[in-house]
mmCIF file of all heavy atoms in Angstrom:
data_model
loop_
_atom_site.group_PDB
_atom_site.id
_atom_site.type_symbol
_atom_site.label_atom_id
_atom_site.label_comp_id
_atom_site.label_asym_id
_atom_site.label_seq_id
_atom_site.Cartn_x
_atom_site.Cartn_y
_atom_site.Cartn_z
ATOM 1 N N SER A 63 121.474 158.900 45.433
ATOM 2 C CA SER A 63 122.497 157.861 45.543
ATOM 3 C C SER A 63 123.132 157.466 44.216
ATOM 4 O O SER A 63 124.050 156.635 44.203
ATOM 5 C CB SER A 63 121.877 156.612 46.194
ATOM 6 O OG SER A 63 121.363 156.917 47.465
ATOM 7 N N PHE A 64 122.680 158.026 43.104
ATOM 8 C CA PHE A 64 123.122 157.543 41.799
ATOM 9 C C PHE A 64 124.629 157.668 41.614
ATOM 10 O O PHE A 64 125.327 156.679 41.319
ATOM 11 C CB PHE A 64 122.389 158.287 40.677
ATOM 12 C CG PHE A 64 122.714 157.774 39.302
ATOM 13 C CD1 PHE A 64 121.996 156.719 38.768
ATOM 14 C CD2 PHE A 64 123.741 158.320 38.546
ATOM 15 C CE1 PHE A 64 122.293 156.217 37.507
ATOM 16 C CE2 PHE A 64 124.053 157.838 37.292
ATOM 17 C CZ PHE A 64 123.325 156.783 36.762
ATOM 18 N N LEU A 65 125.166 158.863 41.752
ATOM 19 C CA LEU A 65 126.610 159.061 41.567
ATOM 20 C C LEU A 65 127.393 158.356 42.659
ATOM 21 O O LEU A 65 128.518 157.891 42.430
ATOM 22 C CB LEU A 65 126.953 160.549 41.550
ATOM 23 C CG LEU A 65 126.492 161.339 40.321
ATOM 24 C CD1 LEU A 65 126.849 162.813 40.481
ATOM 25 C CD2 LEU A 65 127.121 160.780 39.047
ATOM 26 N N CYS A 66 126.801 158.280 43.854
ATOM 27 C CA CYS A 66 127.473 157.600 44.952
ATOM 28 C C CYS A 66 127.705 156.139 44.611
ATOM 29 O O CYS A 66 128.779 155.582 44.861
ATOM 30 C CB CYS A 66 126.632 157.713 46.224
ATOM 31 S SG CYS A 66 126.307 159.409 46.771
ATOM 32 N N VAL A 67 126.687 155.508 44.036
ATOM 33 C CA VAL A 67 126.777 154.088 43.719
ATOM 34 C C VAL A 67 127.722 153.832 42.551
ATOM 35 O O VAL A 67 128.523 152.891 42.572
ATOM 36 C CB VAL A 67 125.375 153.526 43.408
ATOM 37 C CG1 VAL A 67 125.458 152.144 42.783
ATOM 38 C CG2 VAL A 67 124.535 153.483 44.677
ATOM 39 N N TRP A 68 127.649 154.687 41.533
ATOM 40 C CA TRP A 68 128.448 154.443 40.330
ATOM 41 C C TRP A 68 129.857 155.006 40.455
ATOM 42 O O TRP A 68 130.356 155.702 39.580
ATOM 43 C CB TRP A 68 127.739 155.001 39.106
ATOM 44 C CG TRP A 68 126.493 154.226 38.810
ATOM 45 C CD1 TRP A 68 125.210 154.594 39.067
ATOM 46 C CD2 TRP A 68 126.425 152.919 38.237
ATOM 47 N NE1 TRP A 68 124.343 153.597 38.703
ATOM 48 C CE2 TRP A 68 125.058 152.557 38.185
ATOM 49 C CE3 TRP A 68 127.378 152.002 37.775
ATOM 50 C CZ2 TRP A 68 124.633 151.327 37.690
ATOM 51 C CZ3 TRP A 68 126.957 150.782 37.286
ATOM 52 C CH2 TRP A 68 125.600 150.456 37.233
ATOM 53 N N GLY A 69 130.482 154.716 41.580
ATOM 54 C CA GLY A 69 131.909 154.972 41.729
ATOM 55 C C GLY A 69 132.270 156.293 42.354
ATOM 56 O O GLY A 69 133.429 156.496 42.725
ATOM 57 N N GLY A 70 131.314 157.222 42.476
ATOM 58 C CA GLY A 70 131.650 158.542 42.988
ATOM 59 C C GLY A 70 132.220 158.516 44.381
ATOM 60 O O GLY A 70 133.232 159.172 44.668
ATOM 61 N N LEU A 71 131.616 157.736 45.263
ATOM 62 C CA LEU A 71 132.093 157.700 46.640
ATOM 63 C C LEU A 71 133.476 157.076 46.753
ATOM 64 O O LEU A 71 134.297 157.512 47.552
ATOM 65 C CB LEU A 71 131.098 156.918 47.507
ATOM 66 C CG LEU A 71 129.953 157.745 48.113
ATOM 67 C CD1 LEU A 71 128.942 156.841 48.779
ATOM 68 C CD2 LEU A 71 130.507 158.741 49.113
ATOM 69 N N ILE A 72 133.741 156.046 45.956
ATOM 70 C CA ILE A 72 135.049 155.390 46.036
ATOM 71 C C ILE A 72 136.146 156.339 45.572
ATOM 72 O O ILE A 72 137.164 156.530 46.237
ATOM 73 C CB ILE A 72 135.057 154.109 45.188
ATOM 74 C CG1 ILE A 72 134.020 153.116 45.725
ATOM 75 C CG2 ILE A 72 136.438 153.475 45.183
ATOM 76 C CD1 ILE A 72 133.891 151.864 44.901
ATOM 77 N N VAL A 73 135.930 156.953 44.397
ATOM 78 C CA VAL A 73 136.927 157.888 43.867
ATOM 79 C C VAL A 73 137.137 159.043 44.832
ATOM 80 O O VAL A 73 138.281 159.431 45.122
ATOM 81 C CB VAL A 73 136.485 158.403 42.483
ATOM 82 C CG1 VAL A 73 137.420 159.507 42.013
ATOM 83 C CG2 VAL A 73 136.458 157.258 41.476
ATOM 84 N N CYS A 74 136.037 159.572 45.370
ATOM 85 C CA CYS A 74 136.148 160.731 46.250
ATOM 86 C C CYS A 74 136.737 160.358 47.596
ATOM 87 O O CYS A 74 137.416 161.168 48.233
ATOM 88 C CB CYS A 74 134.782 161.383 46.429
ATOM 89 S SG CYS A 74 134.118 162.006 44.878
ATOM 90 N N GLY A 75 136.507 159.124 48.035
ATOM 91 C CA GLY A 75 137.174 158.671 49.248
ATOM 92 C C GLY A 75 138.681 158.599 49.062
ATOM 93 O O GLY A 75 139.448 158.949 49.958
ATOM 94 N N MET A 76 139.098 158.175 47.875
ATOM 95 C CA MET A 76 140.525 158.179 47.565
ATOM 96 C C MET A 76 141.073 159.607 47.580
ATOM 97 O O MET A 76 142.163 159.867 48.096
ATOM 98 C CB MET A 76 140.759 157.539 46.193
ATOM 99 C CG MET A 76 140.430 156.055 46.125
ATOM 100 S SD MET A 76 140.352 155.431 44.428
ATOM 101 C CE MET A 76 142.010 155.830 43.842
ATOM 102 N N LEU A 77 140.305 160.535 47.010
ATOM 103 C CA LEU A 77 140.730 161.932 47.019
ATOM 104 C C LEU A 77 140.851 162.464 48.434
ATOM 105 O O LEU A 77 141.753 163.253 48.751
ATOM 106 C CB LEU A 77 139.744 162.787 46.217
ATOM 107 C CG LEU A 77 139.648 162.513 44.716
ATOM 108 C CD1 LEU A 77 138.616 163.431 44.076
ATOM 109 C CD2 LEU A 77 140.999 162.684 44.042
ATOM 110 N N LEU A 78 139.927 162.022 49.298
ATOM 111 C CA LEU A 78 139.968 162.467 50.685
ATOM 112 C C LEU A 78 141.255 162.011 51.358
ATOM 113 O O LEU A 78 141.878 162.755 52.119
ATOM 114 C CB LEU A 78 138.744 161.927 51.431
ATOM 115 C CG LEU A 78 138.454 162.485 52.821
ATOM 116 C CD1 LEU A 78 138.202 163.988 52.751
ATOM 117 C CD2 LEU A 78 137.259 161.784 53.433
ATOM 118 N N ASP A 79 141.676 160.780 51.087
ATOM 119 C CA ASP A 79 142.938 160.287 51.639
ATOM 120 C C ASP A 79 144.144 160.962 50.998
ATOM 121 O O ASP A 79 145.171 161.161 51.647
ATOM 122 C CB ASP A 79 143.040 158.770 51.448
ATOM 123 C CG ASP A 79 142.163 157.998 52.430
ATOM 124 O OD1 ASP A 79 141.962 158.491 53.549
ATOM 125 O OD2 ASP A 79 141.682 156.912 52.071
ATOM 126 N N LYS A 80 144.029 161.317 49.700
ATOM 127 C CA LYS A 80 145.142 161.922 48.978
ATOM 128 C C LYS A 80 145.279 163.417 49.279
ATOM 129 O O LYS A 80 146.359 163.920 49.554
ATOM 130 C CB LYS A 80 144.936 161.735 47.473
ATOM 131 C CG LYS A 80 145.296 160.354 46.944
ATOM 132 C CD LYS A 80 146.805 160.201 46.810
ATOM 133 C CE LYS A 80 147.159 158.926 46.040
ATOM 134 N NZ LYS A 80 148.617 158.774 45.902
ATOM 135 N N TRP A 81 144.151 164.136 49.188
ATOM 136 C CA TRP A 81 144.184 165.599 49.258
ATOM 137 C C TRP A 81 143.882 166.141 50.648
ATOM 138 O O TRP A 81 144.126 167.306 50.908
ATOM 139 C CB TRP A 81 143.175 166.200 48.268
ATOM 140 C CG TRP A 81 143.507 165.940 46.836
ATOM 141 C CD1 TRP A 81 144.665 165.441 46.335
ATOM 142 C CD2 TRP A 81 142.660 166.185 45.712
ATOM 143 N NE1 TRP A 81 144.602 165.349 44.963
ATOM 144 C CE2 TRP A 81 143.376 165.813 44.548
ATOM 145 C CE3 TRP A 81 141.373 166.685 45.554
ATOM 146 C CZ2 TRP A 81 142.848 165.915 43.277
ATOM 147 C CZ3 TRP A 81 140.835 166.790 44.285
ATOM 148 C CH2 TRP A 81 141.566 166.415 43.160
ATOM 149 N N GLY A 82 143.318 165.319 51.503
ATOM 150 C CA GLY A 82 142.998 165.786 52.836
ATOM 151 C C GLY A 82 141.598 166.351 52.938
ATOM 152 O O GLY A 82 140.891 166.569 51.946
ATOM 153 N N VAL A 83 141.185 166.595 54.162
ATOM 154 C CA VAL A 83 139.819 167.025 54.457
ATOM 155 C C VAL A 83 139.533 168.415 53.924
ATOM 156 O O VAL A 83 138.455 168.678 53.378
ATOM 157 C CB VAL A 83 139.578 166.972 55.985
ATOM 158 C CG1 VAL A 83 138.314 167.747 56.361
ATOM 159 C CG2 VAL A 83 139.457 165.530 56.452
ATOM 160 N N ARG A 84 140.488 169.323 54.049
ATOM 161 C CA ARG A 84 140.183 170.723 53.731
ATOM 162 C C ARG A 84 139.896 170.917 52.252
ATOM 163 O O ARG A 84 138.895 171.550 51.877
ATOM 164 C CB ARG A 84 141.341 171.626 54.188
ATOM 165 C CG ARG A 84 141.498 171.679 55.699
ATOM 166 C CD ARG A 84 142.375 172.827 56.135
ATOM 167 N NE ARG A 84 143.759 172.660 55.746
ATOM 168 C CZ ARG A 84 144.682 172.034 56.472
ATOM 169 N NH1 ARG A 84 144.335 171.468 57.620
ATOM 170 N NH2 ARG A 84 145.934 171.956 56.075
ATOM 171 N N VAL A 85 140.742 170.389 51.381
ATOM 172 C CA VAL A 85 140.538 170.563 49.940
ATOM 173 C C VAL A 85 139.334 169.756 49.467
ATOM 174 O O VAL A 85 138.416 170.275 48.824
ATOM 175 C CB VAL A 85 141.801 170.155 49.162
ATOM 176 C CG1 VAL A 85 141.526 170.162 47.654
ATOM 177 C CG2 VAL A 85 142.950 171.096 49.484
ATOM 178 N N THR A 86 139.344 168.460 49.793
ATOM 179 C CA THR A 86 138.269 167.590 49.311
ATOM 180 C C THR A 86 136.926 168.006 49.887
ATOM 181 O O THR A 86 135.917 168.065 49.177
ATOM 182 C CB THR A 86 138.567 166.125 49.681
ATOM 183 O OG1 THR A 86 139.900 165.799 49.289
ATOM 184 C CG2 THR A 86 137.591 165.190 49.005
ATOM 185 N N GLY A 87 136.885 168.265 51.195
ATOM 186 C CA GLY A 87 135.636 168.681 51.820
ATOM 187 C C GLY A 87 135.086 169.954 51.223
ATOM 188 O O GLY A 87 133.872 170.083 51.010
ATOM 189 N N SER A 88 135.949 170.904 50.927
ATOM 190 C CA SER A 88 135.487 172.173 50.354
ATOM 191 C C SER A 88 134.870 171.971 48.975
ATOM 192 O O SER A 88 133.851 172.586 48.631
ATOM 193 C CB SER A 88 136.661 173.161 50.257
ATOM 194 O OG SER A 88 137.161 173.474 51.538
ATOM 195 N N ILE A 89 135.476 171.091 48.181
ATOM 196 C CA ILE A 89 134.929 170.804 46.850
ATOM 197 C C ILE A 89 133.513 170.250 46.968
ATOM 198 O O ILE A 89 132.593 170.692 46.264
ATOM 199 C CB ILE A 89 135.834 169.819 46.094
ATOM 200 C CG1 ILE A 89 137.167 170.482 45.726
ATOM 201 C CG2 ILE A 89 135.131 169.289 44.832
ATOM 202 C CD1 ILE A 89 138.206 169.523 45.173
ATOM 203 N N PHE A 90 133.325 169.326 47.893
ATOM 204 C CA PHE A 90 132.048 168.622 47.931
ATOM 205 C C PHE A 90 130.987 169.332 48.768
ATOM 206 O O PHE A 90 129.796 169.135 48.534
ATOM 207 C CB PHE A 90 132.271 167.178 48.368
ATOM 208 C CG PHE A 90 132.965 166.389 47.290
ATOM 209 C CD1 PHE A 90 134.329 166.189 47.326
ATOM 210 C CD2 PHE A 90 132.251 165.907 46.214
ATOM 211 C CE1 PHE A 90 134.974 165.494 46.314
ATOM 212 C CE2 PHE A 90 132.877 165.212 45.191
ATOM 213 C CZ PHE A 90 134.246 165.006 45.239
ATOM 214 N N VAL A 91 131.384 170.151 49.699
ATOM 215 C CA VAL A 91 130.399 171.037 50.330
ATOM 216 C C VAL A 91 129.852 172.000 49.274
ATOM 217 O O VAL A 91 128.637 172.275 49.214
ATOM 218 C CB VAL A 91 131.016 171.805 51.513
ATOM 219 C CG1 VAL A 91 130.093 172.935 51.970
ATOM 220 C CG2 VAL A 91 131.272 170.860 52.685
ATOM 221 N N GLY A 92 130.753 172.500 48.410
ATOM 222 C CA GLY A 92 130.301 173.354 47.307
ATOM 223 C C GLY A 92 129.405 172.614 46.338
ATOM 224 O O GLY A 92 128.388 173.153 45.871
ATOM 225 N N MET A 93 129.732 171.339 46.025
ATOM 226 C CA MET A 93 128.897 170.546 45.132
ATOM 227 C C MET A 93 127.514 170.308 45.742
ATOM 228 O O MET A 93 126.501 170.351 45.036
ATOM 229 C CB MET A 93 129.568 169.208 44.826
ATOM 230 C CG MET A 93 128.744 168.308 43.913
ATOM 231 S SD MET A 93 129.501 166.688 43.634
ATOM 232 C CE MET A 93 130.919 167.164 42.640
ATOM 233 N N MET A 94 127.476 170.045 47.042
ATOM 234 C CA MET A 94 126.218 169.833 47.729
ATOM 235 C C MET A 94 125.302 171.054 47.581
ATOM 236 O O MET A 94 124.118 170.927 47.245
ATOM 237 C CB MET A 94 126.501 169.552 49.210
ATOM 238 C CG MET A 94 125.286 169.408 50.097
ATOM 239 S SD MET A 94 125.764 168.894 51.786
ATOM 240 C CE MET A 94 126.610 170.381 52.375
ATOM 241 N N THR A 95 125.855 172.216 47.801
ATOM 242 C CA THR A 95 125.065 173.441 47.700
ATOM 243 C C THR A 95 124.661 173.722 46.257
ATOM 244 O O THR A 95 123.522 174.134 45.986
ATOM 245 C CB THR A 95 125.871 174.626 48.267
ATOM 246 O OG1 THR A 95 126.257 174.321 49.613
ATOM 247 C CG2 THR A 95 125.057 175.904 48.267
ATOM 248 N N ALA A 96 125.566 173.487 45.313
ATOM 249 C CA ALA A 96 125.245 173.703 43.900
ATOM 250 C C ALA A 96 124.143 172.754 43.440
ATOM 251 O O ALA A 96 123.225 173.155 42.702
ATOM 252 C CB ALA A 96 126.501 173.513 43.045
ATOM 253 N N GLY A 97 124.202 171.487 43.858
ATOM 254 C CA GLY A 97 123.156 170.539 43.501
ATOM 255 C C GLY A 97 121.800 170.962 44.041
ATOM 256 O O GLY A 97 120.780 170.835 43.351
ATOM 257 N N ALA A 98 121.783 171.464 45.266
ATOM 258 C CA ALA A 98 120.528 171.953 45.850
ATOM 259 C C ALA A 98 119.973 173.124 45.052
ATOM 260 O O ALA A 98 118.754 173.253 44.873
ATOM 261 C CB ALA A 98 120.755 172.352 47.306
ATOM 262 N N ALA A 99 120.865 173.978 44.570
ATOM 263 C CA ALA A 99 120.419 175.111 43.756
ATOM 264 C C ALA A 99 119.784 174.632 42.451
ATOM 265 O O ALA A 99 118.771 175.186 41.996
ATOM 266 C CB ALA A 99 121.599 176.035 43.468
#
Side-chain angles (χ1 to χ4, degrees):
S63 301
F64 184 87
L65 290 177
C66 301
V67 168
W68 292 103
L71 272 172
I72 298 176
V73 173
C74 298
M76 294 167 59
L77 295 179
L78 191 61
D79 284 329
K80 281 283 191 180
W81 294 349
V83 165
R84 293 195 292 272
V85 173
T86 310
S88 297
I89 291 171
F90 289 98
V91 168
M93 179 183 291
M94 176 174 69
T95 304

